[in-house]
Amino acid sequence: MAGAHRAGAGGPADPPQGDGGDDGDGPTPDSGSKQRSFWKELPLLIGIALVLALLIKTFLVQAFSIPSDSMQDTLQRGDRVLVDKLTPWFGSTPSRGEVVVFHDPGGWLPENPPASSNPVVRGIQKGLSFIGLMPSADEKDLIKRVIGVGGDEVSCKGSGPVMVNGKPLNEPYVYPGNTACTPGMPFDVKVPKGHIWVMGDHRQDSLDSRFHMTQAGHGFVPDSDVVGRAIVIAWPINRWDWLSIPSTFSQPGINALNTGVPAAAGVAGALPLVLVRRRRLLRNSSTEG
């Protein structure tokens, strides 16, 4: 009786000895349950990874493969560069000296080769290109260096140097053995607002702005066609390097022609305010007198 009284008053009787439950944590799930849980979560993890990859490719950074020799020696055929796509979303426009990726303005590239006839291969390519893991067969992008921006006067005669707003460029990035310009193809252009003038670093092997001056766009690339700035060589590892802006583009006076118009516009805009303030002061002084 005493034993029964203790069980009733103190709750359930103690578990039988040897059942492995003396640690108080309850039964431990077996490895089969863990395996099933992993396979249930795997589709969710894959989905999250794909969404993140798509967001990064769309708004932040995208990898591009270099398909030609037009940017040697800065970039080699087969290099992969990371392109900053974030700053254009905040209104940033291309600057002189930057290496940029841009969409074909029209007629710069030949027609793309036809897509694979295999529907499975075609579907995989479209899926991977959609999230930025491989280039699209439908995309027609180029990569060049920005030499002039809207408002700049860019010119070159003979073998160079290239002149920007009357300042000669010192271009150590030009391919060894090349001249700054192609002899027999002089140019003197005024870059329209909202456009850029681009040239490849391999000057004698680059179909850049110089070769499209007779087309509808006159060789200029709209800022809206710029995908972003190439900021780093990411692959192969032994060629890892930042793609910085050469110092020649920050030489004194190179902005002279660009800053004159905004400065004049600022003076013109401020003049009415000065006159109104002066008139107010004169009226106040006559009232006090």
PDB file of all heavy atoms in Angstrom, residues 34 46 130 143 148 174 200 204 207 219 221 232 237 240 253 258 273 284-285:
ATOM      1  N   LYS A  34      16.459  12.169 -40.095  1.00  0.00           N
ATOM      2  CA  LYS A  34      17.319  13.280 -40.515  1.00  0.00           C
ATOM      3  C   LYS A  34      17.507  13.282 -42.024  1.00  0.00           C
ATOM      4  O   LYS A  34      17.512  14.327 -42.667  1.00  0.00           O
ATOM      5  CB  LYS A  34      18.670  13.184 -39.809  1.00  0.00           C
ATOM      6  CG  LYS A  34      18.616  13.428 -38.310  1.00  0.00           C
ATOM      7  CD  LYS A  34      20.009  13.362 -37.704  1.00  0.00           C
ATOM      8  CE  LYS A  34      19.971  13.649 -36.214  1.00  0.00           C
ATOM      9  NZ  LYS A  34      21.313  13.577 -35.592  1.00  0.00           N
ATOM     10  N   ILE A  46      17.683  25.182 -52.761  1.00  0.00           N
ATOM     11  CA  ILE A  46      18.019  25.438 -54.164  1.00  0.00           C
ATOM     12  C   ILE A  46      17.251  26.656 -54.674  1.00  0.00           C
ATOM     13  O   ILE A  46      17.791  27.524 -55.368  1.00  0.00           O
ATOM     14  CB  ILE A  46      17.720  24.204 -55.030  1.00  0.00           C
ATOM     15  CG1 ILE A  46      18.664  23.055 -54.653  1.00  0.00           C
ATOM     16  CG2 ILE A  46      17.850  24.533 -56.512  1.00  0.00           C
ATOM     17  CD1 ILE A  46      18.370  21.757 -55.385  1.00  0.00           C
ATOM     18  N   PHE A 130      19.645  33.075 -67.589  1.00  0.00           N
ATOM     19  CA  PHE A 130      18.670  33.905 -66.896  1.00  0.00           C
ATOM     20  C   PHE A 130      19.150  34.296 -65.504  1.00  0.00           C
ATOM     21  O   PHE A 130      18.912  35.413 -65.041  1.00  0.00           O
ATOM     22  CB  PHE A 130      17.331  33.168 -66.805  1.00  0.00           C
ATOM     23  CG  PHE A 130      16.247  33.939 -66.109  1.00  0.00           C
ATOM     24  CD1 PHE A 130      15.684  35.045 -66.704  1.00  0.00           C
ATOM     25  CD2 PHE A 130      15.801  33.557 -64.854  1.00  0.00           C
ATOM     26  CE1 PHE A 130      14.683  35.772 -66.072  1.00  0.00           C
ATOM     27  CE2 PHE A 130      14.800  34.274 -64.210  1.00  0.00           C
ATOM     28  CZ  PHE A 130      14.239  35.377 -64.825  1.00  0.00           C
ATOM     29  N   ILE A 143      32.754  45.161 -74.857  1.00  0.00           N
ATOM     30  CA  ILE A 143      33.511  45.747 -73.767  1.00  0.00           C
ATOM     31  C   ILE A 143      34.616  46.617 -74.350  1.00  0.00           C
ATOM     32  O   ILE A 143      35.387  46.167 -75.203  1.00  0.00           O
ATOM     33  CB  ILE A 143      34.077  44.658 -72.820  1.00  0.00           C
ATOM     34  CG1 ILE A 143      34.776  45.298 -71.617  1.00  0.00           C
ATOM     35  CG2 ILE A 143      34.995  43.688 -73.555  1.00  0.00           C
ATOM     36  CD1 ILE A 143      35.039  44.318 -70.481  1.00  0.00           C
ATOM     37  N   GLY A 148      35.767  59.379 -74.106  1.00  0.00           N
ATOM     38  CA  GLY A 148      35.094  60.661 -73.968  1.00  0.00           C
ATOM     39  C   GLY A 148      33.672  60.485 -73.485  1.00  0.00           C
ATOM     40  O   GLY A 148      33.023  59.476 -73.781  1.00  0.00           O
ATOM     41  N   VAL A 174      47.658  50.853 -73.931  1.00  0.00           N
ATOM     42  CA  VAL A 174      47.515  50.478 -75.338  1.00  0.00           C
ATOM     43  C   VAL A 174      48.438  49.298 -75.643  1.00  0.00           C
ATOM     44  O   VAL A 174      49.579  49.229 -75.163  1.00  0.00           O
ATOM     45  CB  VAL A 174      47.835  51.675 -76.259  1.00  0.00           C
ATOM     46  CG1 VAL A 174      47.935  51.237 -77.725  1.00  0.00           C
ATOM     47  CG2 VAL A 174      46.743  52.741 -76.116  1.00  0.00           C
ATOM     48  N   GLY A 200      38.971  50.403 -78.025  1.00  0.00           N
ATOM     49  CA  GLY A 200      39.619  49.233 -77.450  1.00  0.00           C
ATOM     50  C   GLY A 200      41.082  49.517 -77.186  1.00  0.00           C
ATOM     51  O   GLY A 200      41.703  50.371 -77.840  1.00  0.00           O
ATOM     52  N   GLN A 204      44.706  48.544 -83.070  1.00  0.00           N
ATOM     53  CA  GLN A 204      44.687  48.064 -84.446  1.00  0.00           C
ATOM     54  C   GLN A 204      43.919  46.746 -84.603  1.00  0.00           C
ATOM     55  O   GLN A 204      43.968  46.113 -85.661  1.00  0.00           O
ATOM     56  CB  GLN A 204      46.115  47.900 -84.969  1.00  0.00           C
ATOM     57  CG  GLN A 204      46.682  49.184 -85.614  1.00  0.00           C
ATOM     58  CD  GLN A 204      47.018  50.274 -84.585  1.00  0.00           C
ATOM     59  OE1 GLN A 204      47.907  50.099 -83.771  1.00  0.00           O
ATOM     60  NE2 GLN A 204      46.316  51.394 -84.642  1.00  0.00           N
ATOM     61  N   LEU A 207      37.145  47.069 -83.402  1.00  0.00           N
ATOM     62  CA  LEU A 207      36.116  47.764 -84.179  1.00  0.00           C
ATOM     63  C   LEU A 207      35.274  48.598 -83.212  1.00  0.00           C
ATOM     64  O   LEU A 207      34.160  48.242 -82.849  1.00  0.00           O
ATOM     65  CB  LEU A 207      35.258  46.755 -84.939  1.00  0.00           C
ATOM     66  CG  LEU A 207      35.998  45.899 -85.974  1.00  0.00           C
ATOM     67  CD1 LEU A 207      35.037  44.902 -86.632  1.00  0.00           C
ATOM     68  CD2 LEU A 207      36.648  46.784 -87.030  1.00  0.00           C
ATOM     69  N   GLY A 219      28.883  56.340 -84.119  1.00  0.00           N
ATOM     70  CA  GLY A 219      29.938  55.799 -83.276  1.00  0.00           C
ATOM     71  C   GLY A 219      29.765  56.051 -81.798  1.00  0.00           C
ATOM     72  O   GLY A 219      30.564  55.571 -80.986  1.00  0.00           O
ATOM     73  N   VAL A 221      27.884  55.756 -78.083  1.00  0.00           N
ATOM     74  CA  VAL A 221      27.112  54.754 -77.338  1.00  0.00           C
ATOM     75  C   VAL A 221      26.246  55.466 -76.308  1.00  0.00           C
ATOM     76  O   VAL A 221      26.773  56.215 -75.469  1.00  0.00           O
ATOM     77  CB  VAL A 221      28.045  53.751 -76.627  1.00  0.00           C
ATOM     78  CG1 VAL A 221      27.231  52.739 -75.823  1.00  0.00           C
ATOM     79  CG2 VAL A 221      28.954  53.051 -77.622  1.00  0.00           C
ATOM     80  N   VAL A 232      36.930  44.225 -61.972  1.00  0.00           N
ATOM     81  CA  VAL A 232      37.990  43.309 -61.584  1.00  0.00           C
ATOM     82  C   VAL A 232      38.046  42.139 -62.552  1.00  0.00           C
ATOM     83  O   VAL A 232      37.019  41.715 -63.084  1.00  0.00           O
ATOM     84  CB  VAL A 232      37.770  42.797 -60.136  1.00  0.00           C
ATOM     85  CG1 VAL A 232      36.538  41.926 -60.040  1.00  0.00           C
ATOM     86  CG2 VAL A 232      38.991  42.043 -59.616  1.00  0.00           C
ATOM     87  N   ILE A 237      42.742  32.837 -62.013  1.00  0.00           N
ATOM     88  CA  ILE A 237      43.251  33.347 -60.746  1.00  0.00           C
ATOM     89  C   ILE A 237      44.583  34.079 -60.917  1.00  0.00           C
ATOM     90  O   ILE A 237      44.827  35.111 -60.290  1.00  0.00           O
ATOM     91  CB  ILE A 237      43.416  32.197 -59.713  1.00  0.00           C
ATOM     92  CG1 ILE A 237      42.048  31.584 -59.386  1.00  0.00           C
ATOM     93  CG2 ILE A 237      44.109  32.688 -58.453  1.00  0.00           C
ATOM     94  CD1 ILE A 237      41.090  32.547 -58.722  1.00  0.00           C
ATOM     95  N   TRP A 240      44.190  37.822 -61.707  1.00  0.00           N
ATOM     96  CA  TRP A 240      43.325  38.646 -60.863  1.00  0.00           C
ATOM     97  C   TRP A 240      43.905  40.049 -60.742  1.00  0.00           C
ATOM     98  O   TRP A 240      45.085  40.231 -60.418  1.00  0.00           O
ATOM     99  CB  TRP A 240      43.188  38.015 -59.476  1.00  0.00           C
ATOM    100  CG  TRP A 240      42.136  38.671 -58.634  1.00  0.00           C
ATOM    101  CD1 TRP A 240      40.837  38.292 -58.506  1.00  0.00           C
ATOM    102  CD2 TRP A 240      42.307  39.821 -57.803  1.00  0.00           C
ATOM    103  NE1 TRP A 240      40.171  39.128 -57.644  1.00  0.00           N
ATOM    104  CE2 TRP A 240      41.049  40.081 -57.202  1.00  0.00           C
ATOM    105  CE3 TRP A 240      43.377  40.669 -57.518  1.00  0.00           C
ATOM    106  CZ2 TRP A 240      40.838  41.150 -56.334  1.00  0.00           C
ATOM    107  CZ3 TRP A 240      43.170  41.744 -56.663  1.00  0.00           C
ATOM    108  CH2 TRP A 240      41.915  41.962 -56.065  1.00  0.00           C
ATOM    109  N   GLY A 253      42.862  70.271 -66.323  1.00  0.00           N
ATOM    110  CA  GLY A 253      42.350  70.920 -67.518  1.00  0.00           C
ATOM    111  C   GLY A 253      41.553  70.035 -68.442  1.00  0.00           C
ATOM    112  O   GLY A 253      40.940  70.537 -69.389  1.00  0.00           O
ATOM    113  N   ASN A 258      33.987  70.778 -70.350  1.00  0.00           N
ATOM    114  CA  ASN A 258      32.750  70.272 -69.759  1.00  0.00           C
ATOM    115  C   ASN A 258      32.234  71.181 -68.656  1.00  0.00           C
ATOM    116  O   ASN A 258      31.048  71.323 -68.465  1.00  0.00           O
ATOM    117  CB  ASN A 258      32.960  68.873 -69.191  1.00  0.00           C
ATOM    118  CG  ASN A 258      32.924  67.818 -70.283  1.00  0.00           C
ATOM    119  OD1 ASN A 258      32.375  68.050 -71.343  1.00  0.00           O
ATOM    120  ND2 ASN A 258      33.526  66.677 -70.020  1.00  0.00           N
ATOM    121  N   LEU A 273      18.146  85.871 -59.041  1.00  0.00           N
ATOM    122  CA  LEU A 273      18.033  85.873 -57.575  1.00  0.00           C
ATOM    123  C   LEU A 273      18.785  87.040 -56.973  1.00  0.00           C
ATOM    124  O   LEU A 273      18.323  87.692 -56.022  1.00  0.00           O
ATOM    125  CB  LEU A 273      18.559  84.548 -57.015  1.00  0.00           C
ATOM    126  CG  LEU A 273      17.787  83.289 -57.429  1.00  0.00           C
ATOM    127  CD1 LEU A 273      18.460  82.042 -56.850  1.00  0.00           C
ATOM    128  CD2 LEU A 273      16.342  83.365 -56.965  1.00  0.00           C
ATOM    129  N   ASN A 284      13.777  98.318 -48.930  1.00  0.00           N
ATOM    130  CA  ASN A 284      13.800  98.401 -47.482  1.00  0.00           C
ATOM    131  C   ASN A 284      14.518  99.652 -47.009  1.00  0.00           C
ATOM    132  O   ASN A 284      14.103 100.317 -46.053  1.00  0.00           O
ATOM    133  CB  ASN A 284      14.453  97.153 -46.893  1.00  0.00           C
ATOM    134  CG  ASN A 284      13.593  95.917 -47.080  1.00  0.00           C
ATOM    135  OD1 ASN A 284      12.392  96.014 -47.313  1.00  0.00           O
ATOM    136  ND2 ASN A 284      14.227  94.740 -46.963  1.00  0.00           N
ATOM    137  N   SER A 285      15.627  99.989 -47.668  1.00  0.00           N
ATOM    138  CA  SER A 285      16.406 101.152 -47.250  1.00  0.00           C
ATOM    139  C   SER A 285      15.638 102.445 -47.503  1.00  0.00           C
ATOM    140  O   SER A 285      15.677 103.393 -46.713  1.00  0.00           O
ATOM    141  CB  SER A 285      17.750 101.181 -47.994  1.00  0.00           C
ATOM    142  OG  SER A 285      17.533 101.301 -49.389  1.00  0.00           O
TER     143      SER A 285
END
